[in-house]
């Protein structure tokens, strides 16, 4: 049975998350329903990463075994037709080897967090960015971010319901970049703990507003205690940007 890698984007606002759950609509359930409507078979997808309620994706990777001998272009068009009008789109479909797995084959994940830093309320970006009206010290935020790069015990930045076996992760990148009122925090790692990016961003904003110093960020990390967390950023501005795979 042909296996396809699908690259998808979605607006996370209507969903309880990527993973199928009993408490509301999920991206996974919507995508599996669309594939079933297209090929008349139950298909379980594999996913590169999980996202929480209200979190978005620019290029999430999934794999699906499609019981039809269609071209990638046909698969993409057909699934998109069945997804409408939900805010999910297949950006690309690729035929892959039978042993390709979107989750277990992934060697890196990239996230971006969008902050709009201005006094005026946000309008068309409502639900798609975190509005922070107070002035932010971006240099201090980057200094604080640098304390988190590398291999650490990220217990402080880990959700209490996180199911990861270990709190030790290696953060390859945490950068604070801006253009005018738009600020993006970029994070790269092989894998992340539940709510890790939102927790780090929330504390970075505390530093930017002057409530924490960069050394406070370091102390929070070293505490290895969720009680030491300063603030958890809302889901609005978080985007899964890319799943990375080894070169063929």
């Amino acid at each position: 049975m042909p296996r396809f890698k699908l690259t998808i984007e979605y607006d996370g606002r209507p969903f309880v998350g990527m993973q199928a759950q009993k408490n509301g609509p999920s991206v996974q359930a919507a995508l599996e329903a669309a594939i079933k409507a297209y090929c008349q078979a139950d298909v379980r997808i594999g996913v590169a990463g999980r996202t929480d309620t209200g979190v978005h994706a620019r290029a999430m990777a999934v794999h699906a075994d499609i019981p039809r001998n269609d071209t990638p272009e046909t698969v993409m068009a057909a699934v998109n037709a069945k997804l409408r009008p939900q805010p999910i789109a297949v950006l690309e479909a690729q035929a892959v080897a039978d042993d390709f797995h979107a989750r277990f084959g992934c060697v890196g994940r990239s996230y971006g967090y969008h902050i709009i830093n201005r006094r005026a309320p946000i309008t068309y970006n409502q639900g798609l960015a975190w509005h922070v009206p107070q002035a932010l010290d971006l240099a201090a935020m980057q200094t604080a971010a640098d304390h988190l790069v590398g291999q650490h015990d990220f217990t402080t930045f880990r959700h209490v319901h996180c199911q990861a076996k270990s709190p030790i992760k290696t953060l390859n990148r945490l950068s604070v970049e801006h253009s005018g009122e738009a600020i993006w925090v970029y994070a790269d790692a092989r894998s992340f703990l539940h709510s890790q990016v939102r927790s780090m961003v929330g504390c970075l904003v505390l530093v930017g507003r002057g409530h924490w110093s960069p050394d406070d960020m370091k102390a929070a990390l070293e505490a290895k205690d969720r009680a030491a967390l300063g603030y958890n950023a809302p889901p609005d501005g978080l985007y899964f940007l890319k799943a990375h795979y080894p070169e063929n």
Side-chain angles (χ1 to χ4, degrees), residues 120-150:
I122 59 176
T123 54
Y124 58 83
N125 275 313
Q126 189 70 244
L128 300 174
W130 182 15
H131 176 222
V132 178
Q134 300 86 2
L136 295 174
D137 183 339
L138 301 183
M141 291 172 67
Q142 185 60 64
T143 300
D146 291 342
H147 288 309
L148 303 182
V149 175

Side-chain angles (χ1 to χ4, degrees), residues 9-18 25-27 51-58 87-88 127-128 235-236 238-239:
E9 71 172 20
Y10 54 84
D11 177 345
R13 287 177 290 183
F15 305 105
V16 295
M18 177 72 216
S26 67
V27 177
T51 56
D52 291 334
T53 302
V55 176
H56 321 291
R58 292 276 182 88
I88 308 170
L128 300 174
D236 306 35
L238 184 58
Y239 294 77

Side-chain angles (χ1 to χ4, degrees), residues 46-51 59-61 101-112 169-173 186-193 197 239-245:
V47 183
R50 300 177 179 180
T51 56
M60 175 67 75
H101 198 286
R103 177 185 175 191
F104 300 122
C106 184
V107 297
R109 295 162 175 86
S110 297
Y111 281 87
K169 296 292 180 182
T170 300
L171 188 61
N172 298 318
R173 177 192 184 193
Y186 294 107
D188 294 340
R190 185 180 184 92
S191 61
F192 291 87
L193 300 168
V197 177
Y239 294 77
F240 184 98
L241 295 182
K242 188 175 183 180
H244 302 271
Y245 296 91

Side-chain angles (χ1 to χ4, degrees), residues 31-227:
L31 189 56
E32 288 176 348
I35 295 172
K36 182 176 181 178
Y38 149 54
C39 64
Q40 304 302 307
D42 290 316
V43 175
R44 183 78 170 179
I45 64 171
V47 183
R50 300 177 179 180
T51 56
D52 291 334
T53 302
V55 176
H56 321 291
R58 292 276 182 88
M60 175 67 75
V62 308
H63 76 260
D65 295 327
I66 306 293
R68 293 178 61 134
N69 293 316
D70 288 335
T71 66
E73 292 76 14
T74 297
V75 172
M76 181 180 72
V79 176
N80 278 333
K82 300 301 183 182
L83 281 168
R84 297 187 184 100
Q86 299 179 94
I88 308 170
V90 179
L91 305 179
E92 183 181 23
Q94 297 172 271
V96 291
D98 292 344
D99 62 353
F100 173 85
H101 198 286
R103 177 185 175 191
F104 300 122
C106 184
V107 297
R109 295 162 175 86
S110 297
Y111 281 87
Y113 195 99
H114 188 198
I115 297 169
I116 294 182
N117 186 212
R118 70 184 192 194
R119 292 186 63 184
I122 59 176
T123 54
Y124 58 83
N125 275 313
Q126 189 70 244
L128 300 174
W130 182 15
H131 176 222
V132 178
Q134 300 86 2
L136 295 174
D137 183 339
L138 301 183
M141 291 172 67
Q142 185 60 64
T143 300
D146 291 342
H147 288 309
L148 303 182
V149 175
Q151 186 180 80
H152 303 287
D153 182 327
F154 283 97
T155 296
T156 299
F157 304 93
R158 178 185 191 179
H159 194 281
V160 292
H161 298 304
C162 179
Q163 298 177 357
K165 294 180 180 179
S166 171
I168 298 175
K169 296 292 180 182
T170 300
L171 188 61
N172 298 318
R173 177 192 184 193
L174 189 63
S175 62
V176 181
E177 303 179 18
H178 78 102
S179 177
E181 65 187 25
I183 298 171
W184 281 91
V185 179
Y186 294 107
D188 294 340
R190 185 180 184 92
S191 61
F192 291 87
L193 300 168
H194 187 180
S195 289
Q196 181 181 345
V197 177
R198 288 172 55 195
S199 296
M200 295 188 300
V201 171
C203 292
L204 286 175
V205 169
L206 287 180
V207 173
R209 293 178 59 186
H211 298 307
W212 273 21
S213 71
D215 286 341
D216 289 328
M217 178 72 87
K218 182 179 180 182
L221 174 68
E222 294 174 347
K224 303 174 187 177
D225 184 355
R226 183 68 175 177

